[in-house]
Amino acid sequence: MSLSLRATTASVAQRVGRYLRRHPFSVGLSLLLVITGLVFGTLWSRHAPLIGASPLAFGRERHWWTPLTALLVPNSTGGLLLALLLALTLLAYAERLMGTLRVALAFVVTGVTGVLLGIGIQAVAWSWGQVWARIDSRGTVTDPSIGILGAILAGSAFAPALYRRRIRLIGLSLLVTFTLYGGDADSVYRLIAALAGLLLGVILTSGRARPAWYRSSYRETRTLIAAMVAVTGLGPLIVLLTGVGIGPLAPVIAGLRGIDISGITDACARNNASDHCVAGVTTAVATGTGVVLMSLMPLLLSLVAAWGLRSGRRAAWFLAIGVNAVMALLTGLSVVAHSLKEPTDVAEIDRQFPGFSVLAILIPVGMCVLLALTHRRFAVVASRRSVRRFVLIVGIAFVVLVGVDVALVLSAAPSTSFWGALGGTLRRFVPTGIGHPGSRTTLTGLPRAVHRDIGALFWLIFAASMLLLLRGRSGRSADDIERFRTQLRETDGGTLGFMGTWEGNEHWFTKDGRGAVAYRVVNDIAIAVGDPVCTPGDAQHTVRGFLDFCDANAWTPVFYSTHEDFAPIFHALGWKSISVAEETVVPLDRFELTGKVWTKVRQPYNRGQRDGLTTLWITWEQLPAGLVAQLDALSEQWIAEKALPEMRFTLGGMDELKDPDVALLLAIGPEGELQAVTSWMPVWREGELIGRTLDFMRRADGAMPGVMEFAIASAALHMKEQGLEVMSLSGAPLAQTVEVPEGADPDTITRLLGWLSRVLEPAYGFASLLRYKGKFNPEHHPMHLFYADNGQLPAIGLAIGRAYLPNASPAEYVALARSLAG
């Protein structure tokens, strides 16, 4: 066994051992569930005599132990996998927060409470004739997730505010969804246990100090409402896929389908396939896939709306209002239709509705009211171009599909009037609860399929177009670019502020015009580039204003490559920071080429002068055509030799050289050949040019050794003659001493950034670049990533990665992977 393999095995064993020591209850419970599932045979047979809980087992048969044993035996293989997943992740997290004894207590207390109260509610509902209680009373419940979920919700009280909200919001939303739509006893028991866990958590944390919140976020409101809208979308989908539909919102499914196929089939089986049953099933099947697809359309649109609501989109708000209004209408029509039916062999299905009909209608109506009350939270409006595109696509699709279907109907039945054909076609665009699939047709093959599914096809196009509309965002304004450049000149943007003028950035300004921030949005992460552009006295106001702006647009704000001077402002907000780069700054008043410390710069500078190299300080507009051609060729050659994705974002390219405020320093050989080029961005402070920042560096093949030192030294001497104060050699990403964010695992963060630095070094040489810049005896200024929460780091990392490599091709990624491996 090689040393590397042994080291890897030892590291894995150490991590597993540490996990086992920190989570003894979660691991022990997982092993117990596997054993009991095998011993009692519930992994392949749901029935578990004397183990499961139910009103009959606990009440009539006096199996008093079942509320506890029901928590220790999985009911199926799927149930075991779910319990293991919850136990080894969220329950383990709760165990770290609460301690082993408390989490074990929470598991037993909340689980037994959920089962006992659930049995009581089921018994009462059974006496009232509710279908879900009567059906599930015939069997027993064995479900470890009842106690696990209760313990997780209890542990959420010990979690930080952000994770506490997430666990409760997502957990309770899913539990309520399964209860309202599925309606089985397991779902009811789980929901009760979760509520008991919330109460137990409050009791266990009584007297503990709660951390103060900086402000109430629009994002939390939007997330909550989006989750509630998703409940009305996911619920029917759960019912359709699992076949369980005895919850209080099951009428929605009937309203959307028009015909409950599964319910009719069950009734037929119980009643020996009477004529009513056969007719019902025949009608349902004859409608084809159109009915099923149309039943899914409101559900799909609910999910699309929820996705947009989370981002504060006004179009998603209108869509959610419309979907919930239609669902309320369909549910009402379904309830009325069932109440008017004469008794038939499928009357057993109708027994699902009484008692919950009003609730089933009020929930989507309540969602409409809630959306109306919170409409100000959804103010992100799509650009006019995106709206026009949406209207055009949907309008053309509707006209074309209606025209095609009318033509098909008239060709198959020439005696049908145009208006009759049009009416039948339009009815296919609404669920069968309102419309009717129409009469039988003589169409066959593809025309029949198009005629049958024409409505579903339109709504699929509508949903896809809505997604495009919700993703659309207006481009940056030329006026904003010039305004930002003026702000840079008149206030203070730091040594890296000019990067905010680059393509891809957008700009935000304070209302009083005294501050600005350059940013770009990637995956809903608003990455502010460099320092806020403002005077020192306006920094706090500018930062807070930008955070509020991002909150209103449902973006997660971060400040990237921001100097340490702003750390007190962010730390006062409770934010965290990681040092992501190190800027090297040379004060020009002490730059000189004498003395031992300057030997590594003085020698190449003197050699360049001896070899006849000259320099040219110039802007792109002033460049002669011959030098422009050489510069283009030099840059293209450099990129071709690298064969790697060219990084952007805070690393400028050829396009950034063309800015009139950017100065170029060219090193030209004795034969007029271009040997090296550097670009220097301006650094302004309150209307005065005080320095320059190095950005672009390229050297030609065959250039004099040390030509870059010659070029940079020449630029420094030129700036010093101009009376400038500082020369920044810019930053070296990931090449710095890592600072560990408060509350994070120092080993994890250090290993992560250290690993990234080592892995990317062969490809991009960031650490080598930092050592190279050390020749100029600079001051080292750490640059930070400021962010709100450690849980955001994975998303932030992906967003920053995409910002650096937005247009890399598959071939370039392959080349990068080879460089990293080699």
Side-chain angles (χ1 to χ4, degrees):
M1 182 181 294
S2 64
L3 292 178
S4 60
L5 181 58
R6 290 180 180 177
T8 302
T9 303
S11 176
V12 172
Q14 184 179 12
R15 294 180 183 180
V16 171
R18 183 167 61 249
Y19 181 89
L20 294 176
R21 290 191 299 272
R22 297 180 68 183
H23 314 103
F25 177 77
S26 301
V27 174
L29 177 64
S30 299
L31 293 175
L32 177 63
L33 297 181
V34 173
I35 294 172
T36 56
L38 294 173
V39 170
F40 291 98
T42 54
L43 298 184
W44 49 85
S45 175
R46 185 179 177 87
H47 181 63
L50 305 178
I51 298 297
S54 72
L56 291 178
F58 184 76
R60 181 180 302 177
E61 299 175 8
R62 306 293 184 182
H63 295 168
W64 55 266
W65 58 86
T66 54
L68 177 61
T69 56
L71 307 177
L72 304 177
V73 180
N75 57 15
S76 64
T77 303
L80 174 63
L81 294 177
L82 174 63
L84 293 179
L85 177 63
L86 292 173
L88 297 176
T89 55
L90 293 178
L91 185 63
Y93 176 63
E95 187 172 1
R96 290 201 305 272
L97 295 173
M98 302 172 64
T100 300
L101 293 179
R102 282 181 175 176
V103 80
L105 174 67
F107 173 81
V108 174
V109 171
T110 60
V112 172
T113 301
V115 174
L116 287 176
L117 291 181
I119 288 174
I121 293 174
Q122 188 177 4
V124 173
W126 188 9
S127 66
W128 290 351
Q130 295 301 313
V131 172
W132 73 270
R134 291 189 294 111
I135 290 178
D136 273 19
S137 66
R138 302 168 186 171
T140 58
V141 173
T142 56
D143 190 351
S145 65
I146 297 172
I148 293 175
L149 290 168
I152 292 171
L153 269 293
S156 68
F158 294 81
L162 180 64
Y163 296 108
R164 181 166 64 246
R165 288 194 300 264
R166 290 175 181 176
I167 291 173
R168 292 176 178 179
L169 173 64
I170 298 175
L172 290 177
S173 295
L174 290 174
L175 292 173
V176 169
T177 298
F178 275 93
T179 302
L180 292 179
Y181 287 95
D184 56 327
D186 300 61
S187 298
V188 176
Y189 293 5
R190 286 191 293 262
L191 178 59
I192 296 173
L195 296 176
L198 289 178
L199 179 59
L200 180 61
V202 172
I203 295 174
L204 293 176
T205 57
S206 60
R208 290 167 58 100
R210 295 288 183 183
W213 289 9
Y214 164 54
R215 65 180 183 273
S216 178
S217 172
Y218 276 19
R219 175 181 292 273
E220 293 301 320
T221 303
R222 288 191 291 258
T223 301
L224 175 62
I225 294 175
M228 296 176 69
V229 170
V231 164
T232 62
L234 288 174
L237 184 61
I238 292 171
V239 175
L240 290 172
L241 295 180
T242 63
V244 180
I246 54 178
L249 291 191
V252 176
I253 306 302
L256 296 178
R257 277 186 164 182
I259 302 169
D260 189 342
I261 300 175
S262 61
I264 294 176
T265 304
D266 293 341
C268 291
R270 291 195 302 271
N271 294 279
N272 298 321
S274 66
D275 293 338
H276 289 292
C277 290
V278 174
V281 174
T282 302
T283 303
V285 174
T287 59
T289 58
V291 170
V292 178
L293 290 176
M294 283 302 298
S295 71
L296 290 173
M297 288 306 106
L299 317 181
L300 173 63
L301 295 178
S302 291
L303 297 179
V304 171
W307 181 73
L309 288 172
R310 185 175 176 272
S311 300
R313 297 284 180 167
R314 178 57 59 90
W317 181 85
F318 281 113
L319 178 61
I321 288 280
V323 170
N324 279 278
V326 170
M327 294 181 74
L329 176 62
L330 294 180
T331 304
L333 291 175
S334 176
V335 171
V336 171
H338 278 281
S339 64
L340 296 178
K341 281 184 179 180
E342 295 182 1
T344 66
D345 289 330
V346 297
E348 184 70 14
I349 302 172
D350 300 338
R351 298 287 297 276
Q352 298 178 23
F353 301 145
F356 289 117
S357 299
V358 175
L359 176 63
I361 297 172
L362 287 181
I363 286 182
V365 170
M367 279 302 310
C368 291
V369 173
L370 179 62
L371 288 164
L373 293 176
T374 57
H375 70 281
R376 295 185 183 275
R377 304 304 196 263
F378 309 99
V380 182
V381 181
S383 65
R384 293 183 179 180
R385 179 181 179 183
S386 298
V387 173
R388 287 195 297 267
R389 180 181 60 188
F390 170 78
V391 173
L392 187 64
I393 294 175
V394 172
I396 292 177
F398 181 79
V399 172
V400 169
L401 292 176
V402 168
V404 168
D405 193 62
V406 169
L408 291 174
V409 172
L410 293 178
S411 65
S415 60
T416 304
S417 67
F418 171 80
W419 296 109
L422 179 62
T425 295
L426 295 179
R427 284 196 295 271
R428 292 186 173 276
F429 284 75
V430 296
T432 55
I434 295 178
H436 189 276
S439 57
R440 295 183 179 181
T441 177
T442 58
L443 294 171
T444 58
L446 180 61
R448 178 182 178 88
V450 172
H451 174 67
R452 180 189 62 205
D453 300 333
I454 198 78
L457 179 59
F458 168 77
W459 287 111
L460 286 173
I461 296 174
F462 180 91
S465 303
M466 179 60 71
L467 285 174
L468 291 176
L469 178 65
L470 297 177
R471 289 176 58 89
R473 193 162 49 87
S474 59
R476 67 177 191 164
S477 166
D479 293 338
D480 285 347
I481 301 173
E482 190 56 37
R483 182 182 175 187
F484 183 81
R485 192 184 297 264
T486 301
Q487 188 83 16
L488 273 175
R489 287 192 178 98
E490 296 177 353
T491 58
D492 185 2
T495 52
L496 303 178
F498 195 78
M499 292 180 181
T501 65
W502 292 354
E503 180 67 28
N505 290 322
E506 297 184 45
H507 305 97
W508 170 86
F509 302 89
T510 59
K511 293 181 180 180
D512 58 11
R514 297 171 61 89
V517 174
Y519 68 97
R520 62 182 66 199
V521 180
V522 181
N523 297 338
D524 288 333
I525 305 293
I527 310 171
V529 184
D531 299 340
V533 181
C534 59
T535 60
D538 294 318
Q540 184 174 6
H541 172 67
T542 301
V543 169
R544 286 179 177 266
F546 180 72
L547 300 186
D548 291 334
F549 167 73
C550 292
D551 192 31
N553 284 275
W555 299 333
T556 298
V558 298
F559 279 76
Y560 182 75
S561 292
T562 304
H563 286 96
E564 197 169 27
D565 297 342
F566 294 87
I569 296 176
F570 291 102
H571 292 163
L573 301 177
W575 280 37
K576 301 171 177 62
S577 65
I578 297 177
S579 180
V580 294
E582 192 141 325
E583 184 186 21
T584 47
V585 179
V586 179
L588 291 174
D589 60 352
R590 74 183 198 197
F591 180 83
E592 54 189 18
L593 296 178
T594 60
K596 183 177 181 180
V597 295
W598 293 100
T599 302
K600 294 182 179 180
V601 178
R602 183 176 61 250
Q603 289 179 347
Y605 179 78
N606 291 336
R607 178 177 177 178
Q609 288 188 321
R610 291 195 305 268
D611 289 354
L613 267 65
T614 59
T615 59
L616 179 63
W617 184 269
I618 198 171
T619 64
W620 180 273
E621 293 177 344
Q622 301 169 333
L623 273 177
L627 285 177
V628 170
Q630 288 192 60
L631 180 53
D632 286 335
L634 185 154
S635 181
E636 289 298 323
Q637 181 65 28
W638 185 88
I639 294 174
E641 289 176 350
K642 292 293 182 181
L644 298 171
E646 185 179 10
M647 301 184 78
R648 304 302 301 271
F649 188 30
T650 61
L651 302 173
M654 286 290 293
D655 292 337
E656 284 69 38
L657 303 187
K658 302 174 183 179
D659 192 291
D661 288 318
V662 173
L664 305 179
L665 190 288
L666 308 182
I668 303 174
E671 302 297 329
E673 74 278 12
L674 181 64
Q675 293 201 13
V677 59
T678 57
S679 73
W680 299 89
M681 302 181 295
V683 180
W684 290 295
R685 181 188 298 154
E686 298 181 355
E688 181 183 0
L689 181 68
I690 64 166
R692 293 275 180 178
T693 299
L694 176 64
D695 175 36
F696 188 92
M697 292 193 302
R698 296 286 190 272
R699 67 182 301 274
D701 291 340
M704 181 197 79
V707 68
M708 295 310 304
E709 289 90 334
F710 171 82
I712 294 174
S714 299
L717 292 174
H718 179 80
M719 294 180 215
K720 189 172 183 178
E721 291 177 0
Q722 290 182 323
L724 302 185
E725 299 176 11
V726 296
M727 176 182 73
S728 170
L729 300 180
S730 195
L734 297 176
Q736 74 290 313
T737 301
V738 177
E739 292 183 13
V740 181
E742 182 181 355
D745 180 359
D747 293 335
T748 300
I749 297 295
T750 303
R751 286 197 304 269
L752 173 62
L753 295 182
W755 176 82
L756 285 174
S757 178
R758 292 191 302 272
V759 166
L760 292 177
E761 178 62 21
Y764 293 106
F766 295 134
S768 301
L769 180 61
L770 181 61
R771 290 192 297 271
Y772 170 82
K773 293 176 179 179
K775 297 180 180 180
F776 297 89
N777 303 301
E779 297 176 350
H780 294 271
H781 296 173
M783 295 190 297
H784 296 266
L785 168 70
F786 292 101
Y787 60 101
D789 181 75
N790 290 331
Q792 299 171 349
L793 282 176
I796 293 171
L798 290 175
I800 293 175
R802 286 195 59 187
Y804 272 113
L805 297 170
N807 302 312
S809 66
E812 288 173 324
Y813 279 118
V814 171
L816 173 60
R818 289 175 178 173
S819 296
L820 300 183

